[in-house]
Amino acid sequence: MTTNAPAQQGGSRLSGTQREALDHLLAATERRLHDFLSAEAEIWARVSPRARVPIDAIAALVQAGGKRLRPAFCIAGYLAGEGGPEGYDGVVSAAVALEVLHACALIHDDVMDQSDQRRGEPTAHVRHRDEHRERGWQGAAERYGENVAILAGDLALIYSDRIMAEAPATVRDIWCELRTELIIGQYMDVLAAAEFSADPQLARWIAVAKSGHYTIHRPLAVGARLAGRPDLAAPFQEYGVTVGEAFQLRDDLIDAFGESEVTGKPAGLDFERHKMTLLMGLAMERDARVRDLFLDDEHGSEQLRRVLVESGVRADIEDHIGQLVQKGRGALAEAALDDAWREQLGAMAHMVAFRDR
């Protein structure tokens, strides 16, 4: 077996016109995202400079960077479905809504995971906890920081609905399904950690709900629906679910073996929080030592990393990720797509699955 990433077959072959359309829509999405948050901050600052704090918390996360995967897949779905300039406003609204929803998920996720860093910056609840302490305010600083972050995440959810309402109503059912899957997937993630159940099938379902559907499949489906291409629903689903599982497994490996300086977030957080990831579920089935090491807060993390390597779990996961990428590419083989977009989506699958390379 090999632990190397498979070659990126073909890469992107977009024509100049196709690349121009893609770049235009990505840039328009970024402008709209920043303009919307700036305008909202200005409106609420007129009430009180302090009223803009939850908006600034969202903006700080957005401005810190991020991969913008969900807008990218939404726009790719639209252009691959041969959507034209007449629908650009609608697809940009959808792409922005997806990114603002992601901001909601990240802000809340950081509170639930007690994470102190995101994209190389302090998380919202940590930043406001520290402000509370520095100013000597009343009450518990930890609770204040969490309260501000929860409200900022709630506001991002409201904003995402407001922005998506500007897109054509034909995508409303997909949007509702996406949001529901995200929340139920988050709950099942919390439950799996509490139960400490080594259930790879449950872990895989959570990965599909939180990554396969939310990150790739549904954004692609929104784009295809806006382009008027219902025939792409099935191949985009198979591609999205498969590549999404690869994305989640890569995320698990990055958490286990990555470095905070590179990832911009704490390394080993899943270990510390005893989070039942897909990686851990598969590892526990493979090696009886994993469960005990996973629960050993004092010495377990380093030994656990060593066991994941020595037992071959890490290598097997790397191979499985490569197989998932090939399966995802195969799902598009017979789809009615321009070959250039077929290759572009293949390149995007490779990028999300091997993004640490």
Side-chain angles (χ1 to χ4, degrees):
M1 289 182 290
T2 176
T3 59
N4 294 324
Q8 185 174 331
Q9 301 172 4
S12 174
R13 297 178 182 172
L14 296 181
S15 68
T17 301
Q18 290 170 326
R19 172 57 62 182
E20 184 179 355
L22 176 60
D23 291 345
H24 169 77
L25 287 172
L26 290 171
T29 297
E30 201 68 20
R31 285 194 303 273
R32 176 75 194 287
L33 180 60
H34 290 278
D35 289 349
F36 176 87
L37 292 172
S38 295
E40 283 296 301
E42 288 179 14
I43 290 169
W44 288 100
R46 295 180 199 135
V47 176
S48 166
R50 294 172 296 180
R52 63 179 287 165
V53 166
I55 305 164
D56 288 341
I58 302 169
L61 177 62
V62 168
Q63 291 164 6
K67 296 176 283 295
R68 306 291 195 258
L69 291 179
R70 292 146 198 88
F73 278 108
C74 178
I75 291 166
Y78 180 77
L79 294 176
E82 302 178 333
E86 69 282 354
Y88 280 6
D89 287 346
V91 76
V92 167
S93 292
V96 173
L98 287 162
E99 189 61 26
V100 175
L101 176 65
H102 188 48
C104 160
L106 293 182
I107 292 169
H108 284 171
D109 202 45
D110 287 338
V111 173
M112 290 187 287
D113 287 346
Q114 298 177 294
S115 180
D116 60 4
Q117 190 180 48
R118 170 75 67 176
R119 295 175 178 169
E121 299 292 337
T123 50
H125 67 282
V126 167
R127 185 182 297 110
H128 291 284
R129 176 203 68 192
D130 292 348
E131 180 188 25
H132 185 286
R133 287 175 177 169
E134 290 165 3
R135 294 179 180 273
W137 287 343
Q138 296 295 310
E142 294 276 359
R143 178 56 59 87
Y144 174 79
E146 290 173 354
N147 287 345
V148 173
I150 290 169
L151 291 169
D154 289 347
L155 184 60
L157 179 61
I158 292 167
Y159 281 160
S160 70
D161 273 344
R162 181 169 142 193
I163 298 165
M164 186 60 86
E166 298 173 9
T170 53
V171 299
R172 194 163 298 156
D173 60 327
I174 303 174
W175 177 242
C176 290
E177 191 71 15
L178 180 154
R179 289 177 303 158
T180 304
E181 285 169 338
L182 172 63
I183 301 302
I184 297 299
Q186 284 281 51
Y187 164 71
M188 295 301 289
D189 199 13
V190 170
L191 178 64
E195 290 182 337
F196 201 66
S197 171
D199 183 349
Q201 292 307 311
L202 175 59
R204 183 171 284 109
W205 183 90
I206 293 170
V208 167
K210 292 180 62 180
S211 294
H213 290 312
Y214 164 64
T215 301
I216 302 175
H217 166 218
R218 302 293 183 197
L220 275 172
V222 167
R225 181 75 65 83
L226 290 173
R229 290 292 302 277
D231 59 298
L232 294 176
F236 278 177
Q237 178 173 354
E238 184 177 354
Y239 168 92
V241 168
T242 304
V243 176
E245 183 177 339
F247 173 86
Q248 186 59 54
L249 284 169
R250 176 61 56 200
D251 207 48
D252 293 347
L253 287 174
I254 289 172
D255 181 86
F257 297 100
E259 298 178 0
S260 298
E261 295 78 11
V262 177
T263 64
K265 57 184 180 180
L269 195 63
D270 290 345
F271 290 172
E272 292 176 18
R273 302 289 179 249
H274 302 149
K275 200 169 183 179
M276 189 52 60
T277 63
L278 182 52
L279 171 64
M280 283 298 98
L282 294 170
M284 285 182 188
E285 276 197 329
R286 180 76 167 271
D287 193 315
R289 295 175 292 172
V290 170
R291 184 182 183 88
D292 291 337
L293 289 172
F294 200 38
L295 291 172
D296 184 349
D297 292 330
E298 187 174 357
H299 304 105
S301 294
E302 283 306 316
Q303 294 181 46
L304 183 54
R305 290 185 183 93
R306 187 164 58 251
V307 167
L308 290 175
V309 173
E310 292 173 353
S311 66
V313 169
R314 183 180 186 181
D316 286 351
I317 294 297
E318 289 285 2
D319 285 341
H320 185 51
I321 289 172
Q323 292 165 12
L324 288 168
V325 169
Q326 294 307 311
K327 183 179 178 182
R329 293 175 66 99
L332 303 180
E334 301 302 322
L337 293 170
D338 183 288
D339 284 342
W341 276 109
R342 201 184 327 274
E343 290 299 328
Q344 174 69 12
L345 289 167
M348 292 173 74
H350 192 280
M351 179 270 293
V352 300
F354 299 101
R355 61 191 183 279
D356 60 338
R357 304 300 174 86

